[in-house]
Amino acid sequence: MTTEEELTAQIVALGEKVKQAKADKQPKEEWDPFLQEMLALKIQFKEVTGKEYGPPPKEKKAPPAAPTEASEKNKEKRAAKAAAKAAKEAEKERKRAEREAREKAKAEKLAGIGMDSFGDAPMVQSQCYTDKKWFQIDHLTPVLANDTILVRGSLQTSRSVGKGVFVVLRSTMYTVQGVCFQSNDISPEMIKYVAGLPVESIVDVEGVVTVPNQPVEACTQKMVEIQIKKFFCVVKAKKAMPFQIEDAMRPDDSKEADVGAYEANDDAAAPRQDGLPSVGLENRLNNRWVDLRTPANQGIFRIESMVGCLFRECLMEKGFIELHTPKLIKGASEGGAEVFTLDYFGEQACLSMSPQLHKQMACACSGFERVFVTGPVFRAENSNTRRHLCEFTGFDMEMVINEHYDEVLEVFSDLFIHIFDGINERCKKELEAVRAQHPFEDLKYLRPTLKLTYAEGCALLREAGIEQGDYDDLSTENEKKLGDIVREKYDTDFFFMDKYPLSVRPFYTMPDPKNPQLSNSYDFFIRGQEILSGAQRIHEPDLLEERANAWGIDLSTIEEYVDSFRNGAQPHGGGGIGLERVVMLFLGLPNIRKASWFPRDPKRLAP
Ligand code: ATP
């Protein structure tokens, strides 16, 4: 017969098992049998004992033994020792806190925290929108003398002198000098703060406009300076500069500019003749976000933007509209040339190397008659030259003609004259900023633009003793030489040639009506380098197929192109301009990368 104790022990043991299994998060199937067994034992317990099962009473702990006199004394001793230790710790802690508070106060004073005249401003997080007015640095002139103004800019330089500091503040391509000397209003801590701030931090400066005794030659705003009253850091520059802006904006030194052969890719940091630090092109491009801050770069890209504006302005005035062509296309837009290919949902696609097909379709086949395109053009050519990029900005134009491609050439001539005049008239400060670092001669151009035939150009080269056949392609070197000859003879840096040999032009170029070896095509040049290539295009599908066959092009690859001319297409012509080439050559820059915001070449895909 099972006793009450035995049953209790079994129930307790099973209860423990279930508890443990639950605590271990075991599945119910694991512990349910124990539970069932335990419930059965509880029923048996009632049958055996005649009472409900209750958990066994917990053993009560024996009460602590009564303290003896000796143990009481020990306890008091220990308590006194602990109290002394705690007091010592508290004193130590108080001193540490005091020291920390002193250090914090000192740091805050130096950081200007809690100061109303200098310091680190809270992070701009759109927490307020007040009626504060910030002055643009380029608007600072002596007219504002004695006015209190607020400007925001980058701290280009700071130079301590005795009890004061001189700073140069920069915003876009303009700079102004700020002066801060110890006085009743200006504490030594403020001077220390201003002088100690990392260069290129963004700062808010409040001060009084004054007219200096001598023009401030180092700044664009030479006739004013700011007597600083308040100086707050809005964003601190956190990382050491890859190079100093001052070094990156130094005027070209002839030795540095000459470095590398004509076709070289990089004018690495060659030592300057004047011994000052130089910044090589690779270093500049690797840190383009810093390099772009120089006044010359600010000028270059503001001019480049203006070229876009002038291009659109002139063509829209002449009835053109802007067309956006796809950059993802099925096949190469011009047979044979190297294209970037990519996977397009399992099919091979490529990046457009010209908006040719679509601009022709829009202009000649879709009834828009006059269109232009501005956008990226991709070339997978492994050309490491000073004038080729793998991605450049194409400014393309296409228009219908009534009789002759001269109608197109007149538009191009007007267009370039509008662009050149526009840069000279509207970008004076930008030109000055570029010239200060990269001296160049003004571009000479005639009105209307000088036109030569290809044969005339070749003859000029031969007259100068340079070998050049009328039907041979023009090498880059001969193009440059021809540019020099034309400048000498016609006093212009800008001209174009037409009637190129048919063999050196794309298959869709309209052949010359008289000489089957020539074509109705043209190239435009600035300072002896090509900036535009164009032609009258073939608008008759049969002739298009004939020419494609002559080039050995597989007709199936250009089926859609040819088909677009089968429903009635207007005679037309146009051309493609490389924006970076125009800017580079207008400004006489030695390398196209200097006219590309973030250049892409065979060796560069970042930043
Ligand atoms: P190039 O003979 O100089 O390589 P291209 O004959 O291939 O030029 P097109 O394809 O006719 O030139 O392009 C029209 C214009 O686009 C050129 O006149 C030039 O201004 C510009 N361009 C062409 N290729 C490049 C390139 N790789 N990088 C920058 N601009 C270019």
Short mmCIF file of all heavy atoms in Angstrom, two decimals, residues 334 337 353-354 356 377-381 383 385-396 473-474 476 479 504-506 508 522-524 529-534 537 575-582 585 592 600, ligand 1:
data_model
loop_
_atom_site.label_atom_id
_atom_site.label_comp_id
_atom_site.label_asym_id
_atom_site.label_seq_id
_atom_site.Cartn_x
_atom_site.Cartn_y
_atom_site.Cartn_z
N GLU A 334 25.21 53.68 -83.22
CA GLU A 334 26.01 53.82 -84.42
C GLU A 334 26.84 52.55 -84.53
O GLU A 334 27.59 52.23 -83.61
CB GLU A 334 26.94 55.04 -84.32
CG GLU A 334 26.17 56.33 -84.32
CD GLU A 334 27.07 57.54 -84.27
OE1 GLU A 334 28.18 57.50 -84.83
OE2 GLU A 334 26.65 58.54 -83.66
N ALA A 337 30.89 51.02 -83.19
CA ALA A 337 31.60 51.70 -82.10
C ALA A 337 31.41 50.95 -80.78
O ALA A 337 30.50 50.13 -80.63
CB ALA A 337 31.09 53.11 -81.97
N MET A 353 25.06 55.87 -77.06
CA MET A 353 26.27 56.64 -77.33
C MET A 353 25.98 57.85 -78.21
O MET A 353 26.89 58.55 -78.64
CB MET A 353 27.37 55.78 -77.93
CG MET A 353 26.96 54.82 -78.99
SD MET A 353 28.39 53.98 -79.61
CE MET A 353 29.40 55.36 -80.12
N SER A 354 24.70 58.12 -78.40
CA SER A 354 24.28 59.31 -79.13
C SER A 354 22.75 59.27 -79.20
O SER A 354 22.17 58.20 -79.28
CB SER A 354 24.88 59.25 -80.54
OG SER A 354 24.08 59.94 -81.46
N GLN A 356 21.16 60.02 -81.64
CA GLN A 356 20.98 60.11 -83.09
C GLN A 356 19.62 59.64 -83.61
O GLN A 356 18.86 60.41 -84.17
CB GLN A 356 22.10 59.30 -83.76
CG GLN A 356 22.23 59.53 -85.23
CD GLN A 356 22.56 60.98 -85.55
OE1 GLN A 356 23.22 61.66 -84.79
NE2 GLN A 356 22.05 61.48 -86.66
N VAL A 377 25.95 61.09 -72.68
CA VAL A 377 26.30 60.27 -73.84
C VAL A 377 27.42 59.34 -73.35
O VAL A 377 28.32 59.78 -72.66
CB VAL A 377 26.81 61.16 -74.99
CG1 VAL A 377 27.31 60.32 -76.14
CG2 VAL A 377 25.72 62.12 -75.45
N PHE A 378 27.28 58.06 -73.67
CA PHE A 378 28.24 57.08 -73.13
C PHE A 378 29.13 56.51 -74.23
O PHE A 378 28.62 56.10 -75.28
CB PHE A 378 27.47 55.94 -72.45
CG PHE A 378 26.55 56.45 -71.36
CD1 PHE A 378 25.21 56.74 -71.63
CD2 PHE A 378 27.02 56.65 -70.07
CE1 PHE A 378 24.37 57.22 -70.64
CE2 PHE A 378 26.18 57.13 -69.08
CZ PHE A 378 24.85 57.41 -69.36
N ARG A 379 30.42 56.50 -73.99
CA ARG A 379 31.37 55.92 -74.95
C ARG A 379 32.30 54.96 -74.22
O ARG A 379 33.00 55.39 -73.30
CB ARG A 379 32.22 57.01 -75.61
CG ARG A 379 31.43 58.08 -76.35
CD ARG A 379 31.04 57.62 -77.75
NE ARG A 379 30.00 58.45 -78.31
CZ ARG A 379 30.21 59.42 -79.20
NH1 ARG A 379 31.43 59.68 -79.61
NH2 ARG A 379 29.19 60.11 -79.68
N ALA A 380 32.27 53.70 -74.66
CA ALA A 380 33.11 52.70 -73.97
C ALA A 380 34.50 52.60 -74.57
O ALA A 380 35.15 51.56 -74.48
CB ALA A 380 32.41 51.34 -74.01
N GLU A 381 34.96 53.69 -75.19
CA GLU A 381 36.29 53.65 -75.78
C GLU A 381 37.35 53.79 -74.69
O GLU A 381 37.21 54.64 -73.82
CB GLU A 381 36.47 54.81 -76.77
CG GLU A 381 35.58 54.69 -77.97
CD GLU A 381 35.28 56.05 -78.56
OE1 GLU A 381 34.44 56.76 -78.00
OE2 GLU A 381 35.90 56.39 -79.57
N SER A 383 39.92 55.34 -74.28
CA SER A 383 40.79 56.45 -74.71
C SER A 383 41.23 57.27 -73.52
O SER A 383 40.43 58.01 -72.95
CB SER A 383 40.03 57.40 -75.65
OG SER A 383 39.31 56.71 -76.59
N THR A 385 42.84 60.03 -73.13
CA THR A 385 43.39 61.27 -73.66
C THR A 385 42.90 62.43 -72.82
O THR A 385 42.09 62.26 -71.93
CB THR A 385 42.94 61.51 -75.12
OG1 THR A 385 41.58 61.93 -75.08
CG2 THR A 385 43.06 60.26 -75.96
N ARG A 386 43.40 63.61 -73.17
CA ARG A 386 42.98 64.81 -72.44
C ARG A 386 41.65 65.34 -72.95
O ARG A 386 41.18 66.37 -72.48
CB ARG A 386 44.05 65.89 -72.58
CG ARG A 386 45.29 65.52 -71.82
CD ARG A 386 46.37 66.58 -71.95
NE ARG A 386 47.45 66.21 -71.06
CZ ARG A 386 48.01 67.04 -70.18
NH1 ARG A 386 47.60 68.28 -70.10
NH2 ARG A 386 48.98 66.62 -69.41
N ARG A 387 41.05 64.71 -73.96
CA ARG A 387 39.80 65.27 -74.50
C ARG A 387 38.67 64.25 -74.62
O ARG A 387 37.64 64.54 -75.20
CB ARG A 387 40.07 65.94 -75.85
CG ARG A 387 40.60 64.99 -76.88
CD ARG A 387 41.22 65.71 -78.04
NE ARG A 387 41.29 64.78 -79.14
CZ ARG A 387 40.62 64.90 -80.26
NH1 ARG A 387 39.84 65.93 -80.47
NH2 ARG A 387 40.74 64.01 -81.21
N HIS A 388 38.89 63.04 -74.10
CA HIS A 388 37.84 62.03 -74.17
C HIS A 388 37.39 61.61 -72.78
O HIS A 388 38.22 61.40 -71.89
CB HIS A 388 38.33 60.78 -74.91
CG HIS A 388 38.47 60.99 -76.38
ND1 HIS A 388 39.67 61.30 -76.97
CD2 HIS A 388 37.55 60.96 -77.37
CE1 HIS A 388 39.49 61.44 -78.28
NE2 HIS A 388 38.20 61.25 -78.55
N LEU A 389 36.09 61.45 -72.63
CA LEU A 389 35.50 60.93 -71.40
C LEU A 389 34.67 59.71 -71.77
O LEU A 389 34.28 59.56 -72.94
CB LEU A 389 34.58 61.97 -70.75
CG LEU A 389 35.24 63.25 -70.24
CD1 LEU A 389 34.20 64.29 -69.92
CD2 LEU A 389 36.08 62.94 -69.01
N CYS A 390 34.36 58.86 -70.82
CA CYS A 390 33.47 57.72 -71.10
C CYS A 390 32.01 58.13 -70.97
O CYS A 390 31.12 57.45 -71.47
CB CYS A 390 33.79 56.56 -70.17
SG CYS A 390 35.39 55.88 -70.53
N GLU A 391 31.78 59.19 -70.24
CA GLU A 391 30.43 59.76 -70.18
C GLU A 391 30.60 61.26 -70.31
O GLU A 391 31.34 61.87 -69.53
CB GLU A 391 29.75 59.42 -68.84
CG GLU A 391 28.34 59.99 -68.76
CD GLU A 391 27.64 59.67 -67.44
OE1 GLU A 391 28.09 58.78 -66.70
OE2 GLU A 391 26.64 60.34 -67.17
N PHE A 392 29.98 61.85 -71.32
CA PHE A 392 30.04 63.30 -71.44
C PHE A 392 28.63 63.83 -71.68
O PHE A 392 27.67 63.06 -71.80
CB PHE A 392 31.02 63.73 -72.54
CG PHE A 392 30.63 63.35 -73.95
CD1 PHE A 392 29.90 64.23 -74.76
CD2 PHE A 392 31.00 62.12 -74.48
CE1 PHE A 392 29.56 63.89 -76.06
CE2 PHE A 392 30.65 61.77 -75.78
CZ PHE A 392 29.92 62.65 -76.57
N THR A 393 28.50 65.16 -71.71
CA THR A 393 27.18 65.75 -71.88
C THR A 393 27.02 66.18 -73.34
O THR A 393 27.76 67.04 -73.81
CB THR A 393 27.01 66.96 -70.94
OG1 THR A 393 27.44 66.56 -69.66
CG2 THR A 393 25.57 67.43 -70.90
N GLY A 394 26.09 65.55 -73.99
CA GLY A 394 25.86 65.87 -75.40
C GLY A 394 24.81 66.96 -75.54
O GLY A 394 23.77 66.91 -74.88
N PHE A 395 25.12 67.95 -76.34
CA PHE A 395 24.13 68.98 -76.73
C PHE A 395 23.89 68.74 -78.22
O PHE A 395 24.73 69.10 -79.04
CB PHE A 395 24.69 70.39 -76.47
CG PHE A 395 24.52 70.87 -75.05
CD1 PHE A 395 24.24 70.00 -74.01
CD2 PHE A 395 24.63 72.23 -74.75
CE1 PHE A 395 24.09 70.44 -72.71
CE2 PHE A 395 24.48 72.69 -73.44
CZ PHE A 395 24.20 71.80 -72.42
N ASP A 396 22.79 68.14 -78.52
CA ASP A 396 22.50 67.75 -79.89
C ASP A 396 21.38 68.57 -80.49
O ASP A 396 20.47 68.99 -79.78
CB ASP A 396 22.09 66.27 -79.93
CG ASP A 396 23.31 65.37 -80.00
OD1 ASP A 396 24.00 65.25 -78.99
OD2 ASP A 396 23.55 64.80 -81.08
N ASP A 473 41.65 60.82 -93.30
CA ASP A 473 41.11 61.35 -92.03
C ASP A 473 42.13 62.34 -91.47
O ASP A 473 43.33 62.25 -91.74
CB ASP A 473 40.90 60.18 -91.04
CG ASP A 473 39.78 60.49 -90.06
OD1 ASP A 473 39.30 61.65 -90.05
OD2 ASP A 473 39.39 59.58 -89.31
N LEU A 474 41.62 63.29 -90.68
CA LEU A 474 42.50 64.30 -90.10
C LEU A 474 42.93 63.82 -88.71
O LEU A 474 42.07 63.56 -87.86
CB LEU A 474 41.67 65.60 -89.99
CG LEU A 474 42.37 66.94 -89.90
CD1 LEU A 474 43.29 67.19 -91.08
CD2 LEU A 474 41.30 68.05 -89.84
N THR A 476 44.50 64.02 -84.89
CA THR A 476 44.37 65.02 -83.83
C THR A 476 45.48 66.06 -83.94
O THR A 476 45.26 67.26 -83.77
CB THR A 476 44.47 64.32 -82.46
OG1 THR A 476 43.51 63.27 -82.44
CG2 THR A 476 44.20 65.26 -81.32
N GLU A 479 44.78 68.34 -86.81
CA GLU A 479 43.67 69.24 -86.45
C GLU A 479 44.22 70.43 -85.68
O GLU A 479 43.86 71.57 -85.92
CB GLU A 479 42.68 68.50 -85.54
CG GLU A 479 41.52 67.86 -86.28
CD GLU A 479 40.56 67.12 -85.33
OE1 GLU A 479 40.59 67.34 -84.11
OE2 GLU A 479 39.79 66.31 -85.86
N VAL A 504 34.97 58.64 -94.03
CA VAL A 504 35.30 58.85 -92.61
C VAL A 504 34.07 59.26 -91.79
O VAL A 504 34.18 59.61 -90.62
CB VAL A 504 36.43 59.91 -92.42
CG1 VAL A 504 37.68 59.49 -93.17
CG2 VAL A 504 35.99 61.31 -92.83
N ARG A 505 32.88 59.21 -92.42
CA ARG A 505 31.67 59.62 -91.71
C ARG A 505 30.73 58.42 -91.52
O ARG A 505 30.81 57.43 -92.25
CB ARG A 505 30.92 60.72 -92.48
CG ARG A 505 31.78 61.89 -92.87
CD ARG A 505 32.43 62.57 -91.69
NE ARG A 505 31.52 63.42 -90.95
CZ ARG A 505 31.89 64.44 -90.19
NH1 ARG A 505 33.18 64.77 -90.08
NH2 ARG A 505 31.01 65.14 -89.54
N PRO A 506 29.79 58.51 -90.56
CA PRO A 506 28.87 57.38 -90.33
C PRO A 506 28.01 57.07 -91.56
O PRO A 506 27.81 57.94 -92.42
CB PRO A 506 27.99 57.88 -89.18
CG PRO A 506 28.69 59.05 -88.59
CD PRO A 506 29.56 59.63 -89.65
N TYR A 508 24.94 56.86 -92.15
CA TYR A 508 23.69 57.61 -92.42
C TYR A 508 23.95 59.03 -92.93
O TYR A 508 23.04 59.83 -93.04
CB TYR A 508 22.82 57.66 -91.15
CG TYR A 508 23.57 58.10 -89.91
CD1 TYR A 508 23.86 59.45 -89.71
CD2 TYR A 508 23.98 57.18 -88.96
CE1 TYR A 508 24.55 59.86 -88.59
CE2 TYR A 508 24.68 57.58 -87.84
CZ TYR A 508 24.97 58.93 -87.66
OH TYR A 508 25.67 59.33 -86.56
N TYR A 522 30.04 68.03 -91.73
CA TYR A 522 30.85 69.15 -91.22
C TYR A 522 31.31 68.90 -89.79
O TYR A 522 30.69 68.14 -89.05
CB TYR A 522 30.03 70.46 -91.25
CG TYR A 522 28.57 70.24 -90.93
CD1 TYR A 522 28.13 70.12 -89.62
CD2 TYR A 522 27.63 70.09 -91.96
CE1 TYR A 522 26.79 69.88 -89.33
CE2 TYR A 522 26.29 69.85 -91.68
CZ TYR A 522 25.88 69.74 -90.37
OH TYR A 522 24.57 69.50 -90.07
N ASP A 523 32.41 69.56 -89.43
CA ASP A 523 32.91 69.55 -88.05
C ASP A 523 33.21 71.00 -87.67
O ASP A 523 33.63 71.79 -88.52
CB ASP A 523 34.22 68.76 -87.94
CG ASP A 523 33.97 67.27 -87.74
OD1 ASP A 523 32.80 66.84 -87.77
OD2 ASP A 523 34.96 66.54 -87.57
N PHE A 524 32.99 71.32 -86.40
CA PHE A 524 33.33 72.66 -85.90
C PHE A 524 34.53 72.51 -84.96
O PHE A 524 34.63 71.52 -84.23
CB PHE A 524 32.15 73.27 -85.11
CG PHE A 524 31.07 73.84 -85.98
CD1 PHE A 524 30.39 73.06 -86.89
CD2 PHE A 524 30.73 75.19 -85.88
CE1 PHE A 524 29.38 73.59 -87.69
CE2 PHE A 524 29.72 75.73 -86.68
CZ PHE A 524 29.05 74.93 -87.59
N GLN A 529 40.56 72.03 -81.98
CA GLN A 529 40.02 70.74 -81.53
C GLN A 529 38.52 70.67 -81.80
O GLN A 529 37.81 71.67 -81.65
CB GLN A 529 40.30 70.55 -80.03
CG GLN A 529 41.80 70.43 -79.75
CD GLN A 529 42.08 69.95 -78.35
OE1 GLN A 529 41.58 68.93 -77.92
NE2 GLN A 529 42.90 70.71 -77.64
N GLU A 530 38.09 69.47 -82.20
CA GLU A 530 36.69 69.30 -82.63
C GLU A 530 35.73 69.43 -81.45
O GLU A 530 35.94 68.85 -80.40
CB GLU A 530 36.57 67.90 -83.24
CG GLU A 530 35.19 67.58 -83.75
CD GLU A 530 34.97 66.07 -83.84
OE1 GLU A 530 35.84 65.36 -84.35
OE2 GLU A 530 33.90 65.64 -83.38
N ILE A 531 34.69 70.21 -81.68
CA ILE A 531 33.66 70.33 -80.64
C ILE A 531 32.28 69.91 -81.16
O ILE A 531 31.35 69.71 -80.38
CB ILE A 531 33.54 71.77 -80.09
CG1 ILE A 531 33.46 72.76 -81.24
CG2 ILE A 531 34.69 72.09 -79.16
CD1 ILE A 531 32.39 73.74 -81.04
N LEU A 532 32.15 69.83 -82.48
CA LEU A 532 30.85 69.46 -83.05
C LEU A 532 31.07 68.61 -84.29
O LEU A 532 31.97 68.88 -85.08
CB LEU A 532 30.07 70.72 -83.44
CG LEU A 532 28.70 70.52 -84.11
CD1 LEU A 532 27.81 71.72 -83.80
CD2 LEU A 532 28.72 70.31 -85.61
N SER A 533 30.24 67.64 -84.46
CA SER A 533 30.29 66.82 -85.65
C SER A 533 28.84 66.68 -86.12
O SER A 533 27.96 66.43 -85.31
CB SER A 533 30.86 65.46 -85.25
OG SER A 533 31.29 64.79 -86.38
N GLY A 534 28.62 66.87 -87.42
CA GLY A 534 27.24 66.77 -87.89
C GLY A 534 27.17 66.61 -89.40
O GLY A 534 28.20 66.58 -90.08
N ARG A 537 21.49 64.18 -93.00
CA ARG A 537 21.32 62.73 -92.84
C ARG A 537 20.52 62.19 -94.04
O ARG A 537 19.72 62.91 -94.64
CB ARG A 537 20.53 62.40 -91.58
CG ARG A 537 20.74 63.34 -90.42
CD ARG A 537 22.11 63.23 -89.81
NE ARG A 537 22.19 64.05 -88.60
CZ ARG A 537 23.30 64.21 -87.90
NH1 ARG A 537 24.43 63.65 -88.29
NH2 ARG A 537 23.30 64.95 -86.81
N GLY A 575 23.56 68.00 -85.66
CA GLY A 575 24.91 67.75 -85.17
C GLY A 575 24.92 67.55 -83.68
O GLY A 575 23.92 67.81 -82.99
N GLY A 576 26.06 67.06 -83.21
CA GLY A 576 26.22 66.81 -81.77
C GLY A 576 27.42 67.59 -81.25
O GLY A 576 28.49 67.58 -81.86
N ILE A 577 27.21 68.25 -80.12
CA ILE A 577 28.26 69.06 -79.51
C ILE A 577 28.63 68.40 -78.18
O ILE A 577 27.75 67.92 -77.46
CB ILE A 577 27.73 70.49 -79.21
CG1 ILE A 577 27.18 71.13 -80.49
CG2 ILE A 577 28.78 71.35 -78.55
CD1 ILE A 577 26.37 72.40 -80.23
N GLY A 578 29.89 68.41 -77.83
CA GLY A 578 30.30 67.93 -76.51
C GLY A 578 30.43 69.13 -75.58
O GLY A 578 31.30 69.98 -75.77
N LEU A 579 29.55 69.20 -74.57
CA LEU A 579 29.54 70.38 -73.69
C LEU A 579 30.90 70.59 -73.01
O LEU A 579 31.43 71.71 -72.99
CB LEU A 579 28.45 70.20 -72.62
CG LEU A 579 28.43 71.26 -71.51
CD1 LEU A 579 28.13 72.64 -72.07
CD2 LEU A 579 27.41 70.91 -70.43
N GLU A 580 31.47 69.52 -72.47
CA GLU A 580 32.73 69.67 -71.73
C GLU A 580 33.85 70.15 -72.66
O GLU A 580 34.71 70.93 -72.25
CB GLU A 580 33.13 68.35 -71.06
CG GLU A 580 32.21 67.92 -69.92
CD GLU A 580 30.97 67.16 -70.38
OE1 GLU A 580 30.76 67.02 -71.61
OE2 GLU A 580 30.19 66.70 -69.52
N ARG A 581 33.81 69.66 -73.92
CA ARG A 581 34.83 70.12 -74.88
C ARG A 581 34.70 71.61 -75.13
O ARG A 581 35.69 72.32 -75.21
CB ARG A 581 34.65 69.40 -76.22
CG ARG A 581 35.11 67.99 -76.22
CD ARG A 581 36.36 67.81 -77.08
NE ARG A 581 36.65 66.39 -77.08
CZ ARG A 581 36.60 65.64 -78.17
NH1 ARG A 581 36.32 66.18 -79.34
NH2 ARG A 581 36.86 64.36 -78.09
N VAL A 582 33.46 72.09 -75.29
CA VAL A 582 33.25 73.51 -75.57
C VAL A 582 33.81 74.35 -74.41
O VAL A 582 34.55 75.31 -74.62
CB VAL A 582 31.74 73.82 -75.77
CG1 VAL A 582 31.49 75.32 -75.85
CG2 VAL A 582 31.23 73.13 -77.03
N LEU A 585 37.67 74.15 -74.15
CA LEU A 585 38.42 74.87 -75.18
C LEU A 585 38.15 76.37 -75.15
O LEU A 585 39.04 77.17 -75.43
CB LEU A 585 38.11 74.27 -76.56
CG LEU A 585 38.61 72.82 -76.67
CD1 LEU A 585 38.00 72.11 -77.86
CD2 LEU A 585 40.13 72.78 -76.74
N ILE A 592 40.09 67.85 -70.39
CA ILE A 592 38.62 67.85 -70.37
C ILE A 592 38.08 67.53 -68.96
O ILE A 592 36.99 67.96 -68.59
CB ILE A 592 38.05 66.86 -71.41
CG1 ILE A 592 36.56 67.14 -71.65
CG2 ILE A 592 38.28 65.41 -71.01
CD1 ILE A 592 35.97 66.50 -72.87
N ARG A 600 34.14 60.70 -65.77
CA ARG A 600 34.16 59.25 -65.93
C ARG A 600 35.10 58.95 -67.09
O ARG A 600 34.86 59.39 -68.21
CB ARG A 600 32.74 58.74 -66.30
CG ARG A 600 31.74 58.88 -65.17
CD ARG A 600 32.10 57.88 -64.06
NE ARG A 600 31.24 58.00 -62.90
CZ ARG A 600 31.57 58.67 -61.79
NH1 ARG A 600 32.71 59.33 -61.71
NH2 ARG A 600 30.77 58.71 -60.75
P1 ATP B 1 36.44 62.48 -81.52
O1 ATP B 1 36.86 62.32 -82.96
O2 ATP B 1 36.96 63.69 -80.88
O3 ATP B 1 36.63 61.24 -80.72
P2 ATP B 1 33.81 61.89 -82.47
O4 ATP B 1 34.03 62.13 -83.90
O5 ATP B 1 33.69 60.50 -81.98
O6 ATP B 1 34.87 62.71 -81.58
P3 ATP B 1 31.07 62.49 -82.30
O7 ATP B 1 30.73 61.11 -82.01
O8 ATP B 1 30.71 62.99 -83.62
O9 ATP B 1 32.58 62.74 -82.03
O10 ATP B 1 30.50 63.40 -81.14
C1 ATP B 1 30.17 64.77 -81.31
C2 ATP B 1 30.88 65.63 -80.30
O11 ATP B 1 30.82 65.05 -79.02
C3 ATP B 1 32.36 65.78 -80.56
O12 ATP B 1 32.61 66.80 -81.47
C4 ATP B 1 32.86 66.15 -79.20
O13 ATP B 1 32.62 67.51 -78.92
C5 ATP B 1 32.00 65.32 -78.31
N1 ATP B 1 32.65 64.06 -77.95
C6 ATP B 1 32.74 62.94 -78.68
N2 ATP B 1 33.36 61.96 -78.03
C7 ATP B 1 33.66 62.46 -76.82
C8 ATP B 1 34.29 61.93 -75.67
N3 ATP B 1 34.70 60.67 -75.64
N4 ATP B 1 34.44 62.72 -74.59
C9 ATP B 1 34.00 63.98 -74.62
N5 ATP B 1 33.38 64.54 -75.66
C10 ATP B 1 33.22 63.80 -76.77
#
